[in-house]
Amino acid sequence: MTTKDLADLIFPNITKTVADYEAMYPERNLKEGAKVTRYAPSPTGFMHIGNFMSATIDYVMAKQNNGVFYLRNEDTDSAREIEGAVEYIRHVLQHYNMNPDEYEYRDTQEIKGEYGPYIQSERKEIYHAFIKHLIIEGKAYPCFLTQEEMDSIREAQTKDKRRIGIYGRYAKYRNLTPDEAAERIKNGEKYTIRLKSTGDFNRKFKFNDLANGEMEFPENDIDIPIMKSSNLLPTYHFAHLVDDHLMRTTHVVRGQEWISSIPIHYELFKTFGFKMPKYIHTPLILKKDGDKIRKISKRLDPEARMTYYEEKGYPIYSVIEAIMTIANSNYEQWREGHPDAPFTDFDFSPKKMSSSGALFDLDKLDNISKNYLSKLKATEVFNLLDTWSSEYDKDFNNLINKYKDYTISVLNIEREQKKPRKDYASLSEIKGQIWYMYDELFTDVTYNFDSKYSKEDINEVLTSYFNDYYNEEDDKDTWFNKMKELTDKLGYCSNMKEYKENPSKYKGSVADISNIIRVSITTLTQTPDLYIILKLLGKSRIKERLSKIK
Ligand code: GLU
């Protein structure tokens, strides 16, 4: 029996060869410098910020030179698959306008692109053809180690402080003859397929990672499993080789945790004689925790999950900016020079990534976001708020739509001017800052009057101001002058300088007067421009509010 006979015994129905697939998925016809990147999540968990950083880098690199960004669903681990994970990944990419050029969605049966299927569990035949090829060539073999045997090998290796894995003398079945292997298979023995490694652990090779620079690794000498016996699907390593080769990926962007797999991937590509794609291993995302800096954790940190940003209502611009800022050390500087350019114009350079970890800081995100939101037009903020609240705060959504023009005017207070206010970083913060402009929300209120004002003082100011001075029609200067007139009339001081020089001479200053008015209308001691607030509320609503105080 030959290795070909053994391969036919294992894969009787596989007739296509590696060469056939090479022909079916030829080199892509792209212009020089165009990159082909992929986001290749396993649907075993919900997208976290590290995944998002990888996807963003994939997207930027592909968009820079009219390349291709595709989505591949790595679903070979069916036992760990989480319902809704794929849909969520698609949702996030859509939400951030980073739609892949090629993809496949099982639920809607959409597929786009010539290099699919893009779902690994649908590529079984392709993988089998590649595995069959290796068996024929004597570069892979069926291994009959039982779970118990492997456990005891591992135990012994741990005890003797040896490297863990099936290599050298532990690779008990690598030298079976095809006849011996075939007999066991015919007897119904369970097996996995392993690579027959030709590496030498004592030999080193150099590997250039675009982000981390040149690295040196010992060769792989482990006979890694390439096909799982449970579902006959390949292991991650083998699927990576086949897919990234056939899909003609030029750049693999993936998390740091895969660096240790480089020797395996290096050997796999060499075994087939395929050119390796370029690799960019993205840094770990870190966060400050008190005095310490530690890895961001999905378990401990809500901001590690992508759901956080949508729930809070961070604009997509802000989140992408915050990620790009930590992904590339010169991004911020570029942004200063190109304030209005789309982030895809940035010339992303893997060399400018930090290999020691990327510090993600929510304050920084808030800053970016406050700036961004402050520069939008009121109607734009309204639209964002409308979309966000329709999902996360339906009551508020009804309210802002019931009073749409009014809400836009409220959002416009101290906006669309040279130095706009920077009150909120996310859409979920807006309600807490403008609630008092809605009578529906102005119920059960507590007034923050300073205790230094007596009830009589307050009454006197309010009665006098709203009966004798306040006129809705007044322009801002007249309004302010009247406020000063009232101040002086009631024995307060309208000139702050004079007041400070001699405070005991007065009942208070103009600041006290405006403070009393502000609190009576809004309950708050600090708000944006009181003149506009009063104007927007209008006389009858003001009256209504005043009647509640007494
Ligand atoms: N499915 C792997 C993961 O989710 C992909 C790693 C890669 O991008 O190659 O970690």
Side-chain angles (χ1 to χ4, degrees), residues 38 40-42 74 236 252-254 257-258:
R38 85 295 194 275
S42 303
E74 303 213 324
Y236 163 73
V252 169
V253 181
R254 62 183 183 187
E257 67 274 20
W258 295 110

Side-chain angles (χ1 to χ4, degrees), residues 358-535:
L359 186 62
F360 184 70
D361 176 357
L362 278 179
D363 291 338
K364 175 92 191 174
L365 168 67
D366 280 355
N367 258 330
I368 291 172
S369 204
K370 280 183 178 170
N371 267 323
Y372 171 70
L373 283 170
S374 78
K375 288 189 189 123
L376 296 183
K377 292 204 167 19
T379 47
E380 293 172 315
V381 180
F382 179 87
N383 291 338
L384 289 177
L385 183 62
D386 185 22
T387 309
W388 175 82
S389 58
S390 68
E391 178 81 20
Y392 294 101
D393 190 344
K394 296 229 158 53
D395 289 344
F396 191 48
N397 186 257
N398 288 336
L399 205 56
I400 62 167
N401 278 295
K402 186 168 167 194
Y403 307 112
K404 181 168 173 181
D405 291 342
Y406 172 77
T407 300
I408 291 172
S409 304
V410 171
L411 294 171
N412 203 28
I413 301 176
E414 294 183 62
R415 177 181 293 282
E416 297 183 27
Q417 61 188 32
K418 195 147 178 249
K419 278 204 166 161
R421 290 181 70 93
K422 296 178 182 174
D423 289 330
Y424 24 81
S426 66
L427 302 162
S428 59
E429 291 166 57
I430 296 183
K431 183 180 177 183
Q433 302 207 24
I434 64 171
W435 63 274
Y436 55 81
M437 296 304 286
Y438 300 89
D439 297 338
E440 287 84 343
L441 303 178
F442 202 84
T443 52
D444 299 325
V445 292
T446 316
Y447 294 90
N448 290 297
F449 287 119
D450 193 312
S451 57
K452 73 183 176 191
Y453 310 127
S454 70
K455 233 181 145 63
E456 292 69 40
D457 290 336
I458 294 171
N459 253 330
E460 187 184 33
V461 171
L462 295 180
T463 316
S464 183
Y465 179 65
F466 286 105
N467 286 350
D468 308 336
Y469 290 87
Y470 185 66
N471 178 348
E472 277 194 283
E473 311 298 321
D474 287 343
D475 62 22
K476 192 155 182 184
D477 285 342
T478 319
W479 174 83
F480 194 56
N481 287 335
K482 282 187 176 174
M483 185 90 81
K484 284 184 148 148
E485 265 175 52
L486 169 76
T487 303
D488 293 328
K489 185 185 145 206
L490 297 183
Y492 295 70
C493 179
S494 64
N495 182 317
M496 285 313 278
K497 194 163 163 263
E498 276 171 31
Y499 175 68
K500 280 193 184 131
E501 276 163 12
N502 215 340
S504 57
K505 234 176 99 182
Y506 306 96
K507 281 178 86 171
S509 74
V510 66
D512 293 298
I513 297 293
S514 61
N515 192 278
I516 289 172
I517 297 170
R518 192 187 304 273
V519 174
S520 70
I521 296 302
T522 67
T523 76
L524 305 173
T525 53
Q526 280 178 1
T527 68
D529 194 335
L530 181 60
Y531 168 74
I532 302 181
I533 289 176
L534 292 173
K535 225 178 165 84

Side-chain angles (χ1 to χ4, degrees), residues 71-87:
L71 176 67
R72 184 169 72 224
N73 178 351
E74 303 213 324
D75 66 340
T76 60
D77 197 351
S78 36
R80 285 179 54 227
E81 191 157 336
I82 286 180
E83 212 189 305
V86 176
E87 288 72 22

